[in-house]
Amino acid sequence: MNPITECKQCSDCAIRLGFGFTQPDVLICTVRGDEVGPGDGCTLGSPGEPVQAVEACEVDVSGRVGYGTEVLG
């Protein structure tokens, strides 16, 4: 029987960091493309450290004013 690699100890896993006070960190399997639990695992995983997930987001800051910032020239 093949050994099981837990998701929290797999290099194919990514950690999407939570933000604010209520959002927890979430583990995502980069092979399956969905959320996994820390105790989940499989026999196809690669032992190692999970990486930090990078998510693109669209932000429109046109017409906004920042306070307490310097203008860089």
Side-chain angles (χ1 to χ4, degrees), residues 1-51:
M1 181 176 214
N2 293 335
I4 294 177
T5 302
E6 288 187 0
C7 293
K8 65 181 177 183
Q9 298 174 340
C10 180
S11 62
D12 293 334
C13 185
I15 302 172
R16 183 175 66 210
L17 300 177
F19 56 91
F21 295 106
T22 60
Q23 297 296 321
D25 294 348
V26 176
L27 298 176
I28 301 171
C29 179
T30 59
V31 176
R32 293 185 350 201
D34 60 352
E35 292 184 14
V36 293
D40 292 343
C42 68
T43 58
L44 302 174
S46 304
E49 292 292 319
V51 296

Side-chain angles (χ1 to χ4, degrees), residues 39-67:
D40 292 343
C42 68
T43 58
L44 302 174
S46 304
E49 292 292 319
V51 296
Q52 183 173 333
V54 177
E55 294 184 271
C57 60
E58 283 189 38
V59 178
D60 181 10
V61 294
S62 62
R64 304 291 186 250
V65 177
Y67 294 99

